[in-house]
């Protein structure tokens, strides 16, 4: 049986630094429970650097912004964070704290936002976003069960009630449809 704290899961991400077209780097997280790490190597697997992370932090997801900063989530049940580090993996800084079971991370370089998912089925799975500095955290979607997901009121123009979205067009009365 696969268990994430026994079997290292490597998440690989190649990126091209804007400074020079030939300066490629490979980043990954190793999620071993007692000794997680975030790692970097050149495109040939050389110049390996590895930075230890707190035991039990369970790093997951990995994204890189246009300036080369690296972002990842922690999948701890409580007090997890969205972290950021420089491209050389120095200066690790939590930018969002107090999350639970962080999973995937993505960066939108145009909007200057970081997005992440959580998978806590006790309090709700969510999709959230924040500015790259961690400010302005917004819940975009919340799912209490796999079939009951709803977009946040703050991010959709449609009014919603009880997990249903009401829409109105000029020629029809309001209708209610389940979000999908």
């Amino acid at each position: 049986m696969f268990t994430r704290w026994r079997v290292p899961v490597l998440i690989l991400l190649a990126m091209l630094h804007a400074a020079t077209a030939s300066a490629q780097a490979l980043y990954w997280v190793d999620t071993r429970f007692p000794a997680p790490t975030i790692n970097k190597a050149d495109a040939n697997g050389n110049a390996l650097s590895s930075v230890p992370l707190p035991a039990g932090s369970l790093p997951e997801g990995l994204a890189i912004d246009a300036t080369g900063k690296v972002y990842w989530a922690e999948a701890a049940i409580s007090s997890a964070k969205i972290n950021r580090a420089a491209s050389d993996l120095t200066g690790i800084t939590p930018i969002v704290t107090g999350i639970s079971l962080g999973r995937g991370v993505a960066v939108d370089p145009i909007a200057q936002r970081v997005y992440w998912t959580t998978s806590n089925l006790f309090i709700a799975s969510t999709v959230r976003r924040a500015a790259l500095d961690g400010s302005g955290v917004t819940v975009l979607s919340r799912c209490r069960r796999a079939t009951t997901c709803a977009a946040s009121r703050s991010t959709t123009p449609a009014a919603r009630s009880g997990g249903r979205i009401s829409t109105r067009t000029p020629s029809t009365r309001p209708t209610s449809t389940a979000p999908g």
Side-chain angles (χ1 to χ4, degrees), residues 56-102:
S57 62
L58 302 171
E60 285 207 15
L62 192 64
I64 301 170
D65 71 14
T67 66
K69 290 182 182 150
V70 182
Y71 298 79
W72 68 95
E74 293 179 358
I77 291 175
S78 64
S79 301
K81 304 179 274 292
I82 302 298
N83 295 297
R84 178 181 65 208
S87 62
D88 63 359
L89 304 181
T90 61
I92 294 175
T93 305
I95 60 167
V96 177
T97 59
I99 67 170
S100 177
L101 296 168

Side-chain angles (χ1 to χ4, degrees), residues 91-134:
I92 294 175
T93 305
I95 60 167
V96 177
T97 59
I99 67 170
S100 177
L101 296 168
R103 300 292 184 191
V105 177
V107 172
D108 179 348
I110 305 298
Q112 295 290 296
R113 298 197 185 276
V114 60
Y115 295 80
W116 68 94
T117 60
T118 65
S119 64
N120 189 324
L121 297 179
F122 294 108
I123 60 173
S125 295
T126 60
V127 176
R128 299 174 190 223
R129 75 170 179 210
L132 294 180
D133 65 1

Side-chain angles (χ1 to χ4, degrees), residues 9-10 17 19 29 52 58 89 100-101 108 120 130 149 151 167 169:
V9 178
L10 300 179
H17 287 280
V29 293
L58 302 171
L89 304 181
S100 177
L101 296 168
D108 179 348
N120 189 324
C149 299
T167 59
T169 59

